[in-house]
Amino acid sequence: VQLQASGGGLVQAGGSLRLSCHASRSIFSVFRPRNMGWYRQPPGKERELVARITSDNEATYEDSVKGRFTISRDNSRKTVYLQMNTLKPEDTAVYYCNAYSASGTNVWNWGRGTQVTVSS
């Protein structure tokens, strides 16, 4: 599966962005049953899973983004979204999507991320 994230950019603190991530594999059944997540990797830090959505559309979030970020998915488009509101400088990172395992680790190879930069 090839993953391609888009929608990042430079935004001022308090602003919003909507990220999209498309899975290119043509087999619909590969995407639909998977739990999907958005990860981010700030400069000089480890990649972390910040938002999750199950195959049943149950969403959970890390405390750092709870109440500000919303994850959603469209199985027919093999796409997962991340609406990010009230952005903070500490949200600056490269954002990636992937399917996640029970331990939170990625299932597929990493695809292209999208850079989000929040200025103060």
Side-chain angles (χ1 to χ4, degrees):
V1 176
Q2 291 184 332
L3 300 165
Q4 184 166 299
S6 62
L10 174 63
V11 63
Q12 288 188 333
S16 299
L17 285 172
R18 188 188 191 217
L19 307 184
S20 300
C21 183
H22 177 69
S24 64
R25 189 157 176 179
S26 61
I27 302 175
F28 174 77
S29 60
V30 171
F31 181 85
R32 188 179 60 182
R34 288 292 184 181
N35 298 326
M36 295 296 297
W38 280 97
Y39 296 73
R40 69 183 181 187
Q41 186 166 18
K45 296 185 178 181
E46 296 291 318
R47 190 155 18 199
E48 60 176 347
L49 178 58
V50 297
R52 312 176 187 214
I53 187 165
T54 68
S55 57
D56 295 326
N57 281 314
E58 293 183 6
T60 56
Y61 304 91
E62 291 301 300
D63 287 345
S64 59
V65 306
K66 196 175 296 183
R68 301 187 299 118
F69 289 11
T70 302
I71 188 172
S72 60
R73 64 191 294 165
D74 184 338
N75 290 331
S76 66
R77 297 177 185 270
K78 294 175 290 181
T79 300
V80 61
Y81 303 97
L82 187 67
Q83 177 66 44
M84 305 188 297
N85 299 327
T86 320
L87 282 161
K88 304 176 180 180
E90 51 263 43
D91 295 318
T92 295
V94 181
Y95 284 73
Y96 304 83
C97 79
N98 211 314
Y100 64 90
S101 68
S103 63
T105 57
N106 58 294
V107 172
W108 298 321
N109 291 331
W110 293 108
R112 191 182 76 180
T114 187
Q115 174 71 49
V116 172
T117 303
V118 184
S119 63
S120 57

